[in-house]
Amino acid sequence: MGGCCASNQKPENTDVASNEPKEASPESDNNAEETMAENKRLIAALKEIPLFSCISELDQTAFAKQMQERKFKAGENLMVQGEVGTEFFIIAKGTCKVIVANDNGNEVQIAELSDGDYCGEQALLKDAKRGATVRAEVDTRCLVLSQAAFKELTKDNNIRFAKRDAARAAISAEQMEQYKSDGSNEQKEDDADDKVRADEEKVVWLLKAVDDNILFSHLDQDQRLIVCKEMYQEEVAVNDFLIKQGDEGNTFYVVDSGEFAITVEDIGQVDTLSSGRCVGELALLYNAPRAASVQCTKGGDDGDKAVVWCVKRTAFRKALMEASKKNSNENVEFLKKVELLAPLLSSELQLVDQALEPKTFNEGDVIFKQGDEGDRFYIIKSGSISGNAKDGTEFTLSVGGFFGERALLTNEPRAATITCASELECLTL
């Protein structure tokens, strides 16, 4: 459903309950087991949602604990078309219908949601108007995460997809040079057609345009950069269709100039796209008929044609494969220099790399304190830390250094307090 839905419900206290496990008591053992099972099911559901699939299970657990239970009676709206959304919903039990109002004001059902389905995830990233109404068909129980709780968690836990502000879209000349194609070894797809490719300034603009797109939210900055450099320009005349409902599509578009109307059969126009808006992201994932038509209604400022930037599914997948392979090779070379891992073979280091998760911290952040429960091991990829051991010893570690390894071997509490002496990037296990 994306960012199309917003709740107008003000839930009664009797209908709202935290998903945080309750304090155990002899009488509540069964309830505790049910809560644990529910949490496991919720985490499994979060893993299937693009926005949450890229984060660690530890972070998924943190989100699960912040979700609130909310009950809706048959006929009540979870969210209303046109209202600004600030909540994300998972249907725990029940059935809901997704409704869009057509040009005549009549309601048309376009989908049905049931157990495990979700809607409103883009509302966690930004205030966005809902594109549809979601209404309970039967008494329905939902798990709800608010935008405020989402932002607080991503801020406090340095969860990666939260760090997507405009400053991170700035690309240094070094990065741009790193990903320029070597024409002597490889030709870009469609080069024979003399496609117009994005220059460095336009790539920066494209990165900003896709920054809030749900499909790109789980890609890191390098992967987004490679995909944007694969994009090529096309012109679209007024009244021409960019996408036709029912056609199979394999292309994603970013509008550069002009305007496009999105229409759905039997419903009418549901949205208008202008400069910086994206459309067709599902075509990058799989073959499926287009769910709506997109028609040019206004040309660009410099002529009678609108301009869009395009990337095909094959180029998108190839770019991500190349980025993943390059990143893996770099990590293996880096891990070879880590003293603790030096005895391992390259094939073994590749397995370690697959298990490692990147995590970033700001200068001054306390990664953990002496006495904390240990559940993670850290390797410093960039930056440095300072440590204070329980015996009063002070130490520093920089690139290639590691700490927290005892957490993998014992259940002992942390023996030191670790503080970031600079911006820090770690690989964690």
Side-chain angles (χ1 to χ4, degrees), residues 47-78:
K47 289 179 179 179
E48 299 300 317
I49 299 170
L51 180 62
F52 297 96
S53 63
C54 59
I55 62 176
S56 69
E57 186 166 323
L58 185 65
D59 291 329
Q60 289 166 348
T61 302
F63 279 112
K65 289 181 178 180
Q66 288 299 316
M67 301 198 82
Q68 304 287 319
E69 183 180 276
R70 189 177 302 170
K71 296 176 182 178
F72 297 85
K73 294 186 180 300
E76 287 186 333
N77 293 330
L78 283 67

Side-chain angles (χ1 to χ4, degrees), residues 69-359:
E69 183 180 276
R70 189 177 302 170
K71 296 176 182 178
F72 297 85
K73 294 186 180 300
E76 287 186 333
N77 293 330
L78 283 67
M79 50 192 69
V80 176
Q81 182 178 354
E83 293 190 354
V84 175
T86 59
E87 292 178 314
F88 163 70
F89 296 79
I90 295 178
I91 313 298
K93 188 70 176 176
T95 306
C96 299
K97 54 185 177 181
V98 183
I99 302 165
V100 174
N102 62 18
D103 294 340
N104 298 322
N106 298 322
E107 292 186 342
V108 179
Q109 182 174 338
I110 61 172
E112 187 174 88
L113 305 177
S114 56
D115 298 3
D117 288 334
Y118 60 91
C119 55
E121 66 273 22
Q122 283 196 355
L124 299 178
L125 302 175
K126 61 179 180 178
D127 292 342
K129 287 186 178 181
R130 306 294 197 182
T133 294
V134 178
R135 182 173 300 155
E137 288 192 281
V138 299
D139 289 353
T140 298
R141 181 170 64 90
C142 295
L143 295 170
V144 185
L145 180 65
S146 70
Q147 186 187 87
F150 176 85
K151 289 183 176 179
E152 191 65 26
L153 276 170
T154 55
K155 172 185 172 184
D156 291 346
N157 294 290
N158 296 284
I159 296 175
R160 188 163 187 167
F161 54 60
K163 303 189 176 298
R164 295 165 56 250
D165 50 34
R168 299 238 172 200
I171 306 300
S172 68
E174 256 185 314
Q175 282 181 297
M176 298 298 293
E177 187 65 31
Q178 182 179 2
Y179 291 104
K180 284 183 178 176
S181 297
D182 182 356
S184 62
N185 297 325
E186 182 178 29
Q187 275 194 318
K188 280 182 176 287
E189 184 180 22
D190 293 334
D191 272 356
D193 297 330
D194 295 324
K195 298 291 188 184
V196 177
R197 301 285 175 175
D199 58 21
E200 294 182 10
E201 182 179 355
K202 184 57 69 174
V203 168
V204 173
W205 180 85
L206 288 168
L207 284 166
K208 291 178 180 178
V210 303
D211 193 48
D212 286 328
N213 187 275
I214 194 71
L215 178 64
F216 286 77
S217 65
H218 71 289
L219 304 184
D220 63 30
Q221 185 67 11
D222 287 346
Q223 290 173 321
R224 285 185 233 170
L225 175 58
I226 292 175
V227 172
C228 288
K229 286 188 69 66
E230 289 287 336
M231 292 186 179
Y232 60 91
Q233 187 184 94
E234 279 192 357
E235 294 183 340
V236 186
V238 175
N239 295 325
D240 280 359
F241 282 91
L242 188 66
I243 293 172
K244 285 189 177 181
Q245 185 173 348
D247 288 353
E248 287 196 0
N250 66 351
T251 308
F252 169 75
Y253 302 94
V254 180
V255 178
D256 189 316
S257 63
E259 290 186 358
F260 294 80
I262 301 180
T263 58
V264 178
E265 290 179 9
D266 300 325
I267 296 176
Q269 184 170 339
V270 295
D271 200 359
T272 299
L273 301 179
S274 55
S275 180
R277 295 285 302 279
C278 307
V279 67
E281 48 265 60
L282 291 182
L284 297 181
L285 300 179
Y286 49 78
N287 284 319
R290 298 288 197 178
S293 294
V294 180
Q295 185 178 24
C296 181
T297 57
K298 181 181 177 182
D301 296 333
D302 299 330
D304 60 351
K305 293 185 177 182
V307 175
V308 296
W309 291 92
C310 321
V311 64
K312 294 187 181 296
R313 186 190 306 124
T314 52
F316 176 79
R317 290 178 175 174
K318 178 183 176 184
L320 294 191
M321 286 175 60
E322 289 177 352
S324 178
K325 182 178 179 181
K326 179 178 182 297
N327 186 60
S328 178
N329 289 340
E330 288 178 350
N331 280 349
V332 168
E333 290 303 311
F334 169 73
L335 294 174
K336 287 179 180 178
K337 301 174 185 177
V338 177
E339 181 182 354
L340 181 67
L341 306 177
L344 299 182
L345 301 173
S346 292
S347 58
E348 294 170 324
L349 289 174
Q350 288 174 353
L351 294 176
V352 173
D353 175 55
Q354 292 174 19
L356 291 170
E357 300 175 11
K359 204 166 183 67

